[in-house]
Amino acid sequence: MVLLFFCILCIALIGRLFVLQISGHRLYSNLAARQHTTVENITPGRGSIFMRDKDGSAVPLAENRIYKTLIVSPKGVVDADSAAAYLSGEFGIDKEMLVKRFSNKQDEYEVIARKVELDKADRIDQKKIPGVFLQEEKLRSYPHSTLASQLVGFVSKEQDTEQGRYGLEQYYEKELAGEIGAVDNRNQDASSFWLALGRKIIHPAKNGSSIYTAIDYNIQLKAEEVLKASREKWQAPLGLAIVMEPATGRIIALAHDPAFDPNSYSKEKNFSVFLNPAVQAVYEMGSVMKPIVMAGALEEKVVTPDTTYTDIGLVKFGNYTIKNFDELAHGLQTMSQVIENSLNTGMVFVSRLLGKEKQLDYIKRFGFGQKTGIDLVGEINGNISSLAKQKDIDFATAAFGQGIAVTPIQLAMAIAAIANHGVRMQPSIVDRIVDDSGNTVEKRPTIARRVVSTQTAEAMTKMMVGAVRNGFENHAGIKGYFIAGKTGTAQIPKTDGRGYSDRFVHTFVGYTPAFDPKFLILLELVDPKGNKFAANTLTPAFHDLAQFILNYYEIPPDEK
């Protein structure tokens, strides 16, 4: 019986050893490894975002900087009152509050201040206050404060993880963030004592790529200056400006006012300021839409610039009456004069000749009702759904920019297609992406589609030049240059969707030199006060910004 007992015990031990050493080897090996292994993540460096100037020099828009963070360990503070008094004087923090925080001896780590200036950090270092020390911290920095803030977005830090929010920071998060690395420290025994010998298995971090945009620093600065002055003068709650190259689709300035400071985004109470209205908001744009429908009619040869109609000042659709903005009858008018005098009744005439099917086709061809594909987060489609009902009144009002809603970037790209001899380009913000090893991915200009013929585009450009020369847009003119442009003054729909309010959206879009355009500018003010028409509020702003760019690029006059 004793022998049998020991035999059974021996069999049980052998069975247990089999489980531990063979069938459960992987499980117990991993459990053992965890007892003497610590895994640490290696945070990669986030890529920078750059603007440029006309010579191609890089100007930082977002970068990483090393800052000093003031840390206090209450456990190590010897004289809490003296330490609190000194730090209160340096940082303007309430002394009693600091004394209270220093008194908790169970607390080992208190952050008192971040982004400490270097001279102040040096003074604190020299004081050598027990329990007070400075720690280096890498933080995202935006050296130009509010400049291009809605364009760039910001980086939020939750725990130890950085995340791009809004703008380029979010759109290019994967490229900017890089890849996290890891270090396996196999240097501890089961009791957590450090061993003399051990091994480290390192998975190196991959730093993020840098983004080089097409944004020109000096043009962006000027665009924001002009926009801010115009918005404040006319007391508009929102304004925006887009400057782009029609031939390439590159956006060289994208300004919004009001803006915010990405360095202190957490101070903002109204989060809507983070949104980019150029791609994330829609508006009924008014008469700036007239060149789009007119270009379709020219392309289909249902009108020429010299085609005439008799303007009696109004057009009736059942219970609806469409009038000109001035509520006057202008008599016999050509299509060129329809654009110059911004006649709503003339565009109704054009809409009827073009037909519903063709009008909708050209509105879509020019890019309305669909995303442009620009490399910015949150772009929306716009809204042309009213045309699906096939009502005569809806097509009539759409011909002069009411009843359909578009994004400013859609409008800019549509007019740019006329400027670019009938070819619509893909809009882009970024020129190239360069990784940590210097490998470069170029973002080349991309053709979206041909919208109208070269002949149609040239005829439409001549009509828009006439609008600046002979129409209400004449304040936009610059001596020595052909300027093609069009204003729009659109009523803002009521919030309940029933009719229109007495508030307006003012828009101006223009390009120059008109027959070989180097740049296009779109300006917009939402609900300006004191003047009803965009011809008065925005043409001077266009003139100032366009004159600056012409001088900046040293573009020679194209008219003698």
Side-chain angles (χ1 to χ4, degrees):
M1 290 180 67
V2 172
L3 180 62
L4 181 61
F5 171 76
F6 279 104
C7 285
I8 294 171
L9 182 62
C10 187
I11 291 169
L13 288 171
I14 291 170
R16 180 59 177 160
L17 287 171
F18 179 83
V19 171
L20 292 173
Q21 294 181 328
I22 299 175
S23 65
H25 170 75
R26 185 182 297 274
L27 170 65
Y28 292 106
S29 177
N30 289 338
L31 289 173
R34 290 177 190 173
Q35 292 180 329
H36 55 82
T37 300
T38 59
V39 179
E40 298 176 11
N41 287 334
I42 305 173
T43 303
R46 190 174 182 85
S48 298
I49 301 174
F50 294 97
M51 299 176 284
R52 61 177 175 85
D53 62 19
K54 67 176 182 177
D55 298 319
S57 300
V59 180
L61 182 56
E63 60 186 358
N64 303 315
R65 285 188 180 177
I66 302 297
Y67 291 96
K68 296 285 187 177
T69 300
L70 180 64
I71 309 294
V72 171
S73 174
K75 203 172 182 179
V77 174
V78 176
D79 186 345
D81 191 72
S82 175
Y86 175 74
L87 295 178
S88 175
E90 283 283 359
F91 293 96
I93 305 172
D94 182 67
K95 178 187 171 184
E96 296 305 318
M97 185 270 288
L98 289 175
V99 170
K100 185 177 180 180
R101 292 175 72 176
F102 295 169
S103 299
N104 182 10
K105 298 300 180 182
Q106 301 302 315
D107 192 358
E108 295 185 357
Y109 190 91
E110 282 281 344
V111 176
I112 304 301
R114 296 186 185 275
K115 294 189 177 181
V116 180
E117 294 88 348
L118 292 178
D119 57 341
K120 195 175 289 186
D122 289 340
R123 289 198 299 272
I124 294 169
D125 266 338
Q126 291 169 11
K127 275 283 185 181
K128 301 192 181 302
I129 305 170
V132 176
F133 57 95
L134 289 153
Q135 181 175 293
E136 283 192 350
E137 187 176 16
K138 185 184 288 186
L139 296 174
R140 196 65 161 170
S141 173
Y142 302 90
H144 301 285
S145 185
T146 60
L147 189 74
S149 56
Q150 280 91 352
L151 172 69
V152 70
F154 57 86
V155 171
S156 66
K157 193 169 185 179
E158 298 175 7
Q159 297 178 345
D160 291 328
T161 304
E162 289 186 333
Q163 181 71 41
R165 306 287 184 190
Y166 302 96
L168 295 172
E169 292 280 24
Q170 182 174 339
Y171 190 91
Y172 285 102
E173 169 65 19
K174 183 178 179 182
E175 291 82 356
L176 290 165
E179 297 177 10
I180 295 174
V183 177
D184 294 343
N185 292 318
R186 303 190 176 187
N187 294 329
Q188 293 174 307
D189 64 14
S191 302
S192 297
F193 286 106
W194 289 100
L195 303 174
L197 297 174
R199 59 179 180 150
K200 294 183 180 180
I201 302 175
I202 302 176
H203 307 286
K206 182 180 179 182
N207 290 332
S209 300
S210 288
I211 304 291
Y212 290 81
T213 72
I215 300 297
D216 187 294
Y217 167 69
N218 295 295
I219 296 176
Q220 179 73 28
L221 205 62
K222 184 64 177 180
E224 294 198 9
E225 175 192 316
V226 169
L227 181 64
K228 185 177 182 65
S230 185
R231 189 181 78 87
E232 289 178 351
K233 178 178 180 180
W234 301 109
Q235 302 171 51
L238 174 68
L240 67 87
I242 299 172
V243 185
M244 61 160 298
E245 298 171 348
T248 65
R250 290 190 178 100
I251 308 298
I252 56 178
L254 186 57
H256 302 86
D257 196 62
F260 69 96
D261 187 350
N263 294 299
S264 52
Y265 65 88
S266 59
K267 294 180 181 178
E268 293 294 336
K269 299 293 187 292
N270 182 4
F271 292 167
S272 65
V273 75
F274 300 145
L275 297 176
N276 189 332
V279 297
Q280 292 179 289
V282 294
Y283 308 92
E284 294 187 20
M285 291 292 192
S287 295
V288 281
M289 290 291 290
K290 289 174 179 174
I292 304 303
V293 177
M294 184 67 79
L298 292 172
E299 183 74 3
E300 293 299 316
K301 296 181 172 52
V302 295
V303 298
T304 70
D306 298 321
T307 298
T308 60
Y309 87 110
T310 301
D311 172 31
I312 61 173
L314 57 85
V315 181
K316 285 187 174 291
F317 288 86
N319 295 326
Y320 298 100
T321 300
I322 292 174
K323 297 180 180 181
N324 293 321
F325 76 95
D326 56 8
E327 299 187 358
L328 298 178
H330 294 260
L332 192 67
Q333 296 285 298
T334 66
M335 295 300 101
S336 292
Q337 289 173 314
V338 167
I339 297 298
E340 291 173 11
N341 298 323
S342 202
L343 301 177
N344 294 340
T345 58
M347 290 311 302
V348 174
F349 171 79
V350 171
S351 173
R352 284 171 165 170
L353 290 178
L354 185 57
K356 295 176 186 175
E357 184 179 341
K358 286 294 184 182
Q359 183 177 338
L360 180 57
D361 179 45
Y362 278 100
I363 286 172
K364 288 180 177 179
R365 274 200 217 181
F366 274 99
F368 299 110
Q370 56 197 281
K371 296 176 182 178
T372 65
I374 191 171
D375 44 346
L376 283 174
V377 71
E379 185 183 12
I380 58 179
N381 290 321
N383 187 358
I384 60 171
S385 60
S386 62
L387 301 181
K389 300 173 184 176
Q390 292 290 304
K391 291 184 177 179
D392 292 344
I393 183 65
D394 292 330
F395 280 86
T397 58
F400 54 86
Q402 295 274 190
I404 58 174
V406 306
T407 64
I409 194 66
Q410 286 174 340
L411 179 61
M413 297 312 301
I415 300 297
I418 296 172
N420 191 36
H421 314 294
V423 176
R424 184 172 171 272
M425 302 299 292
Q426 176 83 20
S428 64
I429 300 290
V430 171
D431 269 346
R432 65 187 189 278
I433 302 173
V434 182
D435 70 16
D436 197 38
S437 301
N439 300 311
T440 301
V441 176
E442 298 281 351
K443 300 279 187 176
R444 299 186 183 281
T446 303
I447 295 174
R449 68 179 73 90
R450 175 169 282 283
V451 181
V452 293
S453 67
T454 302
Q455 293 77 11
T456 294
E458 183 176 343
M460 194 67 245
T461 292
K462 288 178 179 177
M463 294 168 79
M464 292 173 70
V465 169
V468 174
R469 290 291 177 89
N470 309 314
F472 304 104
E473 292 85 357
N474 56 8
H475 291 301
I478 298 173
K479 187 176 180 180
Y481 295 90
F482 286 108
I483 307 287
K486 187 72 189 78
T487 54
T489 303
Q491 288 179 277
I492 298 175
K494 292 180 180 178
T495 53
D496 62 4
R498 298 178 180 178
Y500 289 89
S501 68
D502 58 357
R503 300 182 301 129
F504 296 87
V505 174
H506 289 188
T507 310
F508 180 84
V509 61
Y511 52 91
T512 191
F515 301 101
D516 183 22
K518 300 298 187 289
F519 61 90
L520 174 146
I521 298 171
L522 181 146
L523 296 168
E524 181 185 304
L525 291 177
V526 178
D527 191 22
K529 314 295 188 299
N531 204 300
K532 189 175 178 180
F533 300 112
N536 298 321
T537 61
L538 287 177
T539 51
F542 172 87
H543 178 279
D544 291 349
L545 182 54
Q547 184 72 73
F548 171 84
I549 299 173
L550 289 167
N551 293 338
Y552 178 67
Y553 281 151
E554 300 178 339
I555 298 172
D558 59 340
E559 181 186 16
K560 294 181 180 179

